[in-house]
Each structure stands twice: as structure tokens, then as C-alpha cells.
Amino acid sequence: MKLQDIYRNYRRDLRLIEKELGKSIRTEHRQLNQSAAHLLDAGGKRMRPVFVLLAGKFGDYDIQRLKNVAVPLELIHMASIVHDDVIDDAATRRGKQTVKAKWDNRIAMYTGDYIFARALTIASRIDNPEVHRVLARSMMEMCQGEIEQIRDFFDENQSLIRYLQRIKKKTALLMSVSCQLGGLVSGASPEHVRRLRLYGYYVGMAFQITDDVLDIVGDEKILGKPSGSDLRQGNVTLPVIYVLQRGSEEDRRQILEYLRTKGQRDSIEDILQGIRTSDGIDYAHALADRYLKKAYAVLTRLPQGKARDSLQLIAEFVGRRNY
């Protein structure tokens, strides 16, 4: 089975979710319609809805219930992307103009806020207080993660623990919640829901670490954004932290000079090349693999079947992806 097969197997339900996403962002306000539609049309992997559907297979699968989880979670992800692009001053994402670049920061922020509100409106259809508690807590932590990322911009004194805490809130949390709520609304057993949540967390951590590596070593045409975008914006990721702590004296000097002058001194291309040839890339890959091994271990304690096989395949994709 290939990753595309998973999407193909669920194409009817994913089409329904895509249709619901389109309906959910429509409004009488012309400007919001345009900016929200622009974001939706940019596409994406739709991993969070897929996680919801697969987790739903461990209980009583009902797409009419699951869509009220899958759609809000994807909307929350979309809203966080819009806000992210404002914070990072990003002009492109997936090779297309961001909302803030096509319009401006104010439109982008209001678009993100509107999409967040739509997510909560749709989630209110779910008659389960635990779902609402999980969503509310997760959105709060995601916002905290964004604030922490801003706080840490151009900060040379970052630890591994601080980095991991940040990416948990930024990325892993929503993937974990997608798996958790898919199981929860389907009536899966508490133990299965707990294991699904852990699987999503481990895969989410590996996903973001891999993303941070690709930002440095990936192909710009495939990524749809300039190489080294994170460091250009002051976001100090794991490969950079490794070089700061264990790299050569020259590589450390260049990065420190860059961070202390907020990108005004030293060539970013020279710095990126130093990171690429350091052990920081292998170190980050190894840590991502450790998280994936934990994900595989959790899966072995879930019932065998196509859903578990698909979750295994997604984890394997995360480990080898180049986009």
C-alpha cells in the first residue's frame, strides 16, 4: 500500500470533508470570502482529517459525526497557517502567495480569526463535552506556542527541551488531537483513544523535526519557499541549535553573529552550507526516527487491520518525505 492508496480508499469521505470546508468558509463579506478561499485553494496534505478518519475506524465509524471533528481541526490548522505567515513575514507557502502577501497583515489576521470562529461553530454540533474541552485546551496551547516562538526569535540560548516544547504546541498537538478526537467521537475504548493520541503526538514531533531539516536541505521548488526560511525569520530550529552547541568554532561564530545582529551580518547562504555539512542534520534525523519508533510501538498495541496499516504507512511517509 502507498500513501496515495490511503487517500484513494477514503476519497468519498475526503471529498465530503473538502466540500464541507468550502461551505464552512463562505460568508456574505466579499473580502473574507476571497482571502479564505485563497487559503483553501492552496491545498495541503489534509493529514489531520485523514487522522480523524483512520482513528474513527477503531470505534463505530460514522462520517456524519467524524466530519464535525475533521473539518474544525483542518480549519484550526488553516487559521494557524495564516497567523504564522504574518508572524514570519512569509510571502509564499507551497509555491503560492500567502494571504498576507496577496492582501496585507490586517486582512490575514481577520481571516485567521474568522476561520477559527467557524471551526468552533462547526465543533459545537458535537454533543460531547470532552471533545470541547480537548479542543479549547489545544487551541490555548497552540496560541502559547506561537507566543513562545516569537519570544525565541534570534535567541542564541535555546535548549533542546525548549525547542521540543515549542514544536509540540506548534505541530504535534493538533495531530495528536486529530487522532484522539477521531477515536473519541467514534466511541473507541479509552485505552485505544489514549494510544491513538500518543501515536499522533509522536508522528507530529517527527513531522516538525523533519520539516525543520527540509527547510535547510530541501529543494526550494518542491518546498515552495526559499531555503533557510526559518533562520531568515529568526526561528532557531534543531539543526541550528546542534551547531550552536556542538559545531565547529567558525560555524558557531557565523550563526552567533547572524542572530546577534538579527540577520544583518554574515551571509545566510554560508551559514546554511555550514549547517548542511555539520552533524546537525543527521542528529535531527536520528531524533525524528526515535519518535517514529515510539509511534510504531504504540501501533502494535492497537487492533490489527487496514486502519492500523494506514497509520503505519503515514509514519513511514513522515520519515522519508521530501516536501
Side-chain angles (χ1 to χ4, degrees):
M1 182 185 286
K2 297 179 180 178
L3 189 64
Q4 299 94 309
D5 294 331
I6 297 174
Y7 287 76
R8 195 175 299 117
N9 291 340
Y10 288 86
R11 62 183 177 276
R12 181 180 298 175
D13 290 349
L14 286 171
R15 279 197 204 112
L16 173 62
I17 288 169
E18 202 67 32
K19 183 178 178 182
E20 292 291 322
L21 284 169
K23 285 168 55 179
S24 70
I25 62 170
R26 286 192 202 122
T27 171
E28 294 178 0
H29 193 289
R30 180 172 168 272
Q31 180 66 79
L32 272 177
N33 252 335
Q34 291 177 340
S35 56
H38 176 79
L39 180 63
L40 184 62
D41 291 344
K45 301 178 186 70
R46 301 292 190 250
M47 288 186 71
R48 291 145 198 87
V50 169
F51 279 142
V52 171
L53 299 184
L54 291 173
K57 287 293 184 180
F58 293 90
D60 180 17
Y61 188 94
D62 181 348
I63 187 58
Q64 296 304 318
R65 286 205 309 269
L66 289 168
K67 73 177 184 181
N68 291 329
V69 174
V71 171
L73 287 171
E74 187 64 14
L75 289 174
I76 291 169
H77 173 60
M78 288 167 56
S80 70
I81 284 176
V82 181
H83 288 165
D84 251 355
D85 289 339
V86 171
I87 293 166
D88 298 341
D89 196 27
T92 60
R93 182 180 286 270
R94 304 187 190 108
K96 297 184 179 180
Q97 270 189 306
T98 58
V99 173
K100 64 93 55 190
K102 189 172 176 64
W103 286 279
D104 57 33
N105 283 345
R106 288 180 302 174
I107 295 298
M109 294 304 292
Y110 285 132
T111 301
D113 292 345
Y114 168 70
I115 293 173
F116 265 133
R118 289 298 297 141
L120 293 177
T121 302
I122 295 165
S124 68
R125 300 169 187 167
I126 304 167
D127 186 20
N128 186 328
E130 180 61 18
V131 170
H132 299 291
R133 279 193 289 269
V134 170
L135 273 177
R137 186 169 59 247
S138 301
M139 291 177 70
M140 181 182 68
E141 287 191 45
M142 286 174 64
C143 291
Q144 289 173 345
E146 291 297 341
I147 295 297
E148 288 166 8
Q149 179 168 296
I150 296 170
R151 175 201 65 193
D152 291 341
F153 276 169
F154 293 104
D155 187 347
E156 66 192 68
N157 299 308
Q158 295 193 44
S159 65
L160 173 63
I161 291 176
R162 196 153 125 191
Y163 165 79
L164 295 177
Q165 289 173 338
R166 192 170 71 234
I167 68 170
K168 172 194 173 184
K169 294 173 182 177
K170 178 181 177 181
T171 301
L173 184 63
L174 203 55
M175 290 190 176
S176 177
V177 166
S178 298
C179 295
Q180 178 185 6
L181 294 186
L184 190 61
V185 300
S186 298
S189 73
E191 194 57 33
H192 288 167
V193 170
R194 186 184 72 83
R195 288 167 184 162
L196 287 164
R197 176 179 59 80
L198 281 174
Y199 162 84
Y201 165 70
Y202 294 138
V203 168
M205 293 296 283
F207 185 95
Q208 186 58 52
I209 293 170
T210 303
D211 210 55
D212 292 342
V213 171
L214 287 174
D215 182 72
I216 294 171
V217 305
D219 186 321
E220 291 187 15
K221 292 180 180 178
I222 296 175
L223 294 177
K225 61 178 181 176
S227 180
S229 291
D230 285 331
L231 189 56
R232 294 174 199 271
Q233 295 149 7
N235 187 15
V236 181
T237 57
L238 184 56
V240 182
I241 293 171
Y242 180 93
V243 175
L244 282 172
Q245 295 179 349
R246 308 186 198 180
S248 70
E249 194 63 35
E250 178 58 18
D251 287 341
R252 288 184 68 254
R253 183 200 66 75
Q254 284 189 315
I255 294 174
L256 287 171
E257 187 74 11
Y258 186 84
L259 294 176
R260 288 169 181 173
T261 62
K262 290 185 167 46
Q264 299 304 307
R265 300 271 287 277
D266 273 321
S267 166
I268 184 72
E269 295 304 329
D270 290 342
I271 293 171
L272 291 174
Q273 189 55 34
I275 298 169
R276 289 175 188 130
T277 57
S278 74
D279 291 333
I281 300 301
D282 288 340
Y283 175 82
H285 276 309
L287 184 56
D289 286 343
R290 283 170 58 188
Y291 277 110
L292 290 175
K293 286 177 182 175
K294 290 182 178 182
Y296 298 144
V298 169
L299 286 180
T300 63
R301 304 182 68 186
L302 286 168
Q304 291 184 355
K306 290 182 179 179
R308 194 179 87 172
D309 292 344
S310 295
L311 290 173
Q312 168 102 12
L313 188 64
I314 290 175
E316 290 171 2
F317 161 76
V318 167
R320 65 172 188 270
R321 73 190 182 97
N322 63 353
Y323 64 93

